[in-house]
């Protein structure tokens, strides 16, 4: 089988590629990525010499390239997106361009080639789950910030293309991922990097927001299971049921690093901040049999240790902007 992966030089896309090539040595995989912020081609060092792997530097909005690649491949999997909520608040435009228009370009290619399109979305499209049961795939979309609004827009376009044109597609909505190779601006790597430099670790509004965490390899294996056994036109939530406050998460990381908890600094809140994300993933479990297999505390410990062992990976990606205590105030 030939697979086109878009956005494979980022955190989750690169984990998908490393894992997919290991599990499916007979398949050929092409990775298209424009290498914007969040990406790092070093994430793919392990596979760059694999004859079954091929990299193309391009933009998902380049419809000519995408259409040609769609003809040559059997499945299109899209991880390419602008992904940092804070940056979407200070400048929403690139989010609309990549997350909405980029998805449109891929949908057109899937429509013309009649290939299966896997749309990687997020639990954030449901909006705030404070005082509510966990959202199922049947709940309405109620995004709160420009990032989640552009992801929700893409989800709606995917559904419309299935209904109107009958394209083959599957949408996945996963919770917060953690693991090696995550860009330093995100909560866990930023905590590890700032703490390792004995800098204060910023937390919005006391860090009482609840997020549900999944180890990145569980996420990519869930996607692989859907490529094989998912039903076209359907949406699947993906969670590992690890709901904790951001404060508890940061405290866990600091304890693993033997750093004092008084490094934590309250920096006020971010506009439009959701208090809780929570989803139910019974549907994927029933459909494909997938369930998370990595134990949360052990995976977190291994993640912290990976960043501690690999400063040569994160140092070149780290600057005042990526480590800023209130990135939504920064002019990106
Ligand atoms: N990180 C999470 O916790 C999480 C949770 C659920 C869903 N998701 C979704 O998973 C996907 C991947 O997230 P991630 O954390 O790996 O993001 P990331 O920011 O690490 O990677 C995104 C990749 O997309 C590429 N890209 C951006 N714009 C592009 C364009 N126009 N054309 C081609 N490539 C482009 C970037 O260069 C980068 O390599 C996103 O769609 C995100 O919404 C992420």
């Amino acid at each position: 089988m030939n697979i086109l992966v878009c956005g494979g030089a980022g955190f989750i896309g690169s984990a998908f590629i490393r894992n997919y090539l290991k599990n499916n040595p007979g398949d050929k995989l092409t990775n298209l990525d424009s290498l914007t912020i969040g990406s790092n081609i070093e994430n793919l060092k392990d596979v760059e010499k694999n004859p079954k792997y091929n990299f193309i530097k391009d933009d998902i909005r380049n419809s000519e390239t995408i259409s040609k690649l769609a003809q040559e491949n059997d499945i299109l999997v899209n991880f390419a997106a602008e992904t940092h909520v804070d940056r979407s608040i200070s400048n929403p435009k690139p989010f609309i361009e990549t997350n909405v228009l980029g998805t449109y370009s891929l949908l057109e290619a899937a429509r013309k080639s009649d290939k299966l399109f896997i749309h990687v979305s997020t639990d954030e499209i449901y909006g705030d789950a404070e005082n509510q049961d966990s959202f199922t795939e049947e709940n309405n979309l109620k995004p709160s910030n420009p990032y989640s609004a552009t992801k929700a827009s893409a989800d709606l376009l995917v559904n419309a293309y299935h209904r109107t044109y009958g394209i083959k597609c599957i949408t996945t909505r996963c919770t917060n991922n953690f693991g090696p190779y995550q860009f330093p601006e995100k909560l866990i790597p930023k905590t590890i990097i700032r703490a390792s430099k004995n800098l204060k670790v910023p937390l919005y509004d006391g860090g009482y927001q609840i997020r549900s965490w999944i180890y990145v390899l569980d996420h990519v294996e869930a996607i692989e299971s859907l490529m094989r056994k998912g039903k076209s036109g359907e949406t699947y939530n993906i969670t590992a049921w690890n709901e904790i406050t951001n404060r508890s998460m940061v405290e866990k990381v600091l304890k693993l690093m033997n750093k004092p908890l008084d490094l934590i600094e309250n920096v006020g809140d971010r506009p439009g901040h959701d208090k809780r994300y929570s989803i139910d993933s019974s549907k994927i479990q029933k459909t494909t049999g997938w369930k998370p297999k990595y134990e949360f505390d052990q995976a977190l410990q291994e993640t912290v240790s990976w960043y501690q062992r690999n400063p040569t990976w994160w140092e070149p990606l780290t600057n005042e902007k990526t480590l800023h205590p209130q990135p939504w105030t920064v002019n990106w």
Side-chain angles (χ1 to χ4, degrees):
M1 202 150 54
N2 292 349
I3 312 289
L4 173 64
V5 172
C6 299
F11 165 48
I12 304 172
S14 65
F16 177 86
I17 291 173
R18 291 188 302 271
N19 203 54
Y20 188 90
L21 288 171
K22 192 172 78 190
N23 291 347
N24 306 276
D27 287 2
K28 204 176 138 221
L29 192 152
T30 299
N31 173 22
L32 177 139
D33 195 299
S34 58
L35 299 183
T36 63
I37 189 155
S39 69
N40 187 359
I41 204 66
E42 292 292 305
N43 299 358
L44 295 154
K45 239 185 156 44
D46 293 354
V47 298
E48 67 185 3
K49 296 206 174 78
N50 184 329
K52 299 281 186 181
Y53 170 76
N54 175 32
F55 175 68
I56 297 172
K57 182 175 185 296
D58 211 331
D59 195 298
I60 52 169
R61 287 166 296 162
N62 184 345
S63 52
E64 210 176 302
T65 314
I66 293 295
S67 293
K68 184 172 163 285
L69 288 170
Q71 296 293 348
E72 294 166 4
N73 285 278
D74 302 300
I75 303 183
L76 326 178
V77 190
N78 185 38
F79 295 94
E82 288 285 341
T83 60
H84 195 37
V85 175
D86 296 73
R87 272 191 283 114
S88 84
I89 295 170
S90 54
N91 183 15
K93 195 166 178 234
F95 289 72
I96 295 164
E97 289 171 344
T98 284
N99 300 359
V100 183
L101 296 178
T103 304
Y104 158 71
S105 158
L106 286 157
L107 284 168
E108 279 295 302
R111 176 163 83 93
K112 289 175 191 146
S113 63
D114 196 27
K115 301 294 170 58
L116 173 64
F117 176 50
I118 309 280
H119 169 57
V120 179
S121 188
T122 162
D123 63 347
E124 300 196 24
I125 50 89
Y126 295 113
D128 207 328
E130 196 183 20
N131 306 323
Q132 285 206 251
D133 288 343
S134 302
F135 292 120
T136 73
E137 295 81 354
E138 301 305 316
N139 279 95
N140 288 335
L141 311 191
K142 214 174 163 195
S144 305
N145 57 62
Y147 162 69
S148 53
T150 58
K151 292 296 290 185
S153 306
D155 286 27
L156 296 178
L157 270 178
V158 174
N159 291 347
Y161 265 65
H162 178 70
R163 179 93 194 259
T164 306
Y165 305 113
I167 69 154
K168 293 182 236 159
C169 57
I170 289 171
T171 296
T172 69
R173 294 178 181 153
C174 189
T175 59
N176 279 32
N177 286 222
F178 70 98
Y181 301 102
Q182 187 169 29
F183 202 67
E185 67 190 0
K186 302 287 171 68
L187 180 69
I188 292 176
K190 186 164 161 171
T191 300
I192 301 168
I193 294 167
R194 288 188 66 100
S196 70
K197 293 173 183 286
N198 295 314
L199 295 170
K200 289 280 185 188
V201 177
L203 265 183
Y204 290 137
D205 200 24
Y208 295 109
Q209 313 81 12
I210 296 171
R211 298 292 179 263
S212 184
W213 294 92
I214 185 169
Y215 190 54
V216 65
L217 285 180
D218 273 328
H219 182 191
V220 301
E221 285 185 1
I223 294 174
E224 252 198 67
S225 78
L226 289 167
M227 286 165 67
R228 288 200 193 90
K229 297 184 193 156
K231 187 164 170 252
S232 176
E234 296 289 322
T235 295
Y236 298 90
N237 288 344
I238 301 169
T239 181
W241 306 100
N242 299 309
E243 282 189 31
I244 62 168
T245 63
N246 286 342
R247 188 176 197 91
S248 304
M249 176 54 106
V250 165
E251 285 177 358
K252 272 177 182 288
V253 170
L254 293 177
K255 280 180 196 156
L256 285 167
M257 296 177 74
N258 292 319
K259 292 286 182 180
L261 298 187
D262 63 10
L263 276 184
I264 294 175
E265 182 179 49
N266 191 347
V267 291
D269 210 356
R270 175 176 86 185
H273 209 168
D274 288 324
K275 294 282 181 285
R276 176 176 173 240
Y277 293 132
S278 181
I279 55 173
D280 178 302
S281 63
S282 317
K283 183 174 169 183
I284 182 176
Q285 199 161 332
K286 272 193 213 117
T287 309
T288 74
W290 171 86
K291 49 179 194 248
K293 65 181 187 205
Y294 293 90
E295 200 274 316
F296 175 57
D297 281 315
Q298 198 187 334
L300 184 64
Q301 186 181 5
E302 279 164 21
T303 300
V304 170
S305 152
W306 184 88
Y307 283 93
Q308 289 176 316
R309 290 194 316 275
N310 289 284
T312 50
W313 179 86
W314 52 259
E315 284 285 8
L317 308 172
T318 304
N319 58 40
E320 266 177 51
K321 279 188 178 180
T322 51
L323 290 188
H324 198 281
Q326 285 185 305
W328 60 273
T329 61
V330 172
N331 192 10
W332 291 90

